[in-house]
Amino acid sequence: MASTERSLARRRLLTATAALSGAALLGGAGAAHAAGVRGTAWPAAFPLPDGFQPEGITIGSRPHAYLGSLANGDVHRVSLATGRGSLAVKGLGEGHPTVGLKIDRHHRLFLAGGPSGEIRVADARTGETEQVHATGGVFVNDVILTPGAAWFTDSFAPRLYKLVLGRHGTPQALETVPLSGDWVQGDEFTANGIERTPDGRALLVVDTVADGGGLMRVDPATGVARAVDLGPARLPNGDGLLLLGRILYAVQQRQNAIDVFRLNAAGTRGTAIARITDPRFRIPTTAAAWGDRLYLPNARFDVDPTPATDYDVVAVDRV
């Protein structure tokens, strides 16, 4: 089995083992079932190309979603108004997947390369891949943009990658920031989604191993991690994170759910306030927002992907 297939297959196996326990651990947070999307005639679901194998999604300042392919690294752009899409960035081929991705206000896409160990930067307007950075990492998973950097997680090593951004967000030097403090590194898949704290002073990173699965607040200057107090809630299947104000959405992929927390400003404490579920979920991995909706790609990690496997994106109401 090729290294890319081995790493992705191992991810599917690891997330499957914790699926049932996480739902019980959420406790009495309540549930919010998405029974339709309010206030718009835009499609509440749209298809992706067969065999695409989506994982990450990002939406910028315009109503277009960008999704990355685990199969070959392609980036697909879809109009939220019509559900129609097309190729935005041609990937580098098998062995160079696109896992997490974010777009900035300059239409620049930051792409996490999974087991290739790459960080790639592409122009969403021209489709050109402008930069490829070799991290030497094992599985570059997800990314968040801050005013001075793009931060990436590595799921198999206790470190973050910091791509320093200069004037106008131009990518410059790549740095490695080791994780310490409360960080617990498992033998297998550990770090996943990444966000900023509401006050913008620190980073939030999913640690699927620590205390049965939790959230870490990381000092970006030192890499020191401190566990976020989420009460009885756990994130054993925690994948993508999305922060809107003080509301944090944590996608629990194998549980087909989004757990919703209200954080304090510093991001040291969170209270579970809702769980979003939907019968259309087929192992969603990440979320992006437009208006009163969240958009999530269904990764379908419970099936063996083929060129004919169907994939889609579904929209649900925000809390």
Side-chain angles (χ1 to χ4, degrees), residues 151 153 159-160 177-183 191 193-197 199-207 215-228 266-268:
W151 292 87
T153 57
R159 59 191 175 219
L160 301 177
V177 179
L179 294 169
S180 60
D182 294 340
W183 186 263
I194 185 169
E195 252 292 359
R196 298 174 69 191
T197 55
D199 63 10
R201 296 183 179 182
L203 302 169
L204 298 170
V205 181
V206 171
D207 186 327
L215 192 64
M216 294 287 174
R217 182 186 187 275
V218 178
D219 184 332
T222 65
V224 174
R226 295 293 177 231
V228 177
T268 59

Side-chain angles (χ1 to χ4, degrees), residues 10 21 197 282 305:
R10 181 165 49 181
S21 61
T197 55
R282 298 187 291 175

Side-chain angles (χ1 to χ4, degrees), residues 102-106 108 110 143-151 162-173 195-203 220 243:
K102 287 292 185 293
I103 189 168
D104 69 6
R105 61 188 180 92
H106 303 288
R108 194 179 287 118
F110 295 81
V143 54
I144 189 65
L145 301 178
T146 66
W151 292 87
K162 177 184 180 183
L163 183 59
V164 178
L165 305 179
R167 190 177 181 185
H168 305 304
T170 305
Q172 298 181 335
E195 252 292 359
R196 298 174 69 191
T197 55
D199 63 10
R201 296 183 179 182
L203 302 169
L243 183 72

Side-chain angles (χ1 to χ4, degrees), residues 168-194:
H168 305 304
T170 305
Q172 298 181 335
L174 180 65
E175 303 175 359
T176 300
V177 179
L179 294 169
S180 60
D182 294 340
W183 186 263
V184 179
Q185 183 65 37
D187 294 333
E188 298 288 353
F189 202 90
T190 303
N192 206 321
I194 185 169

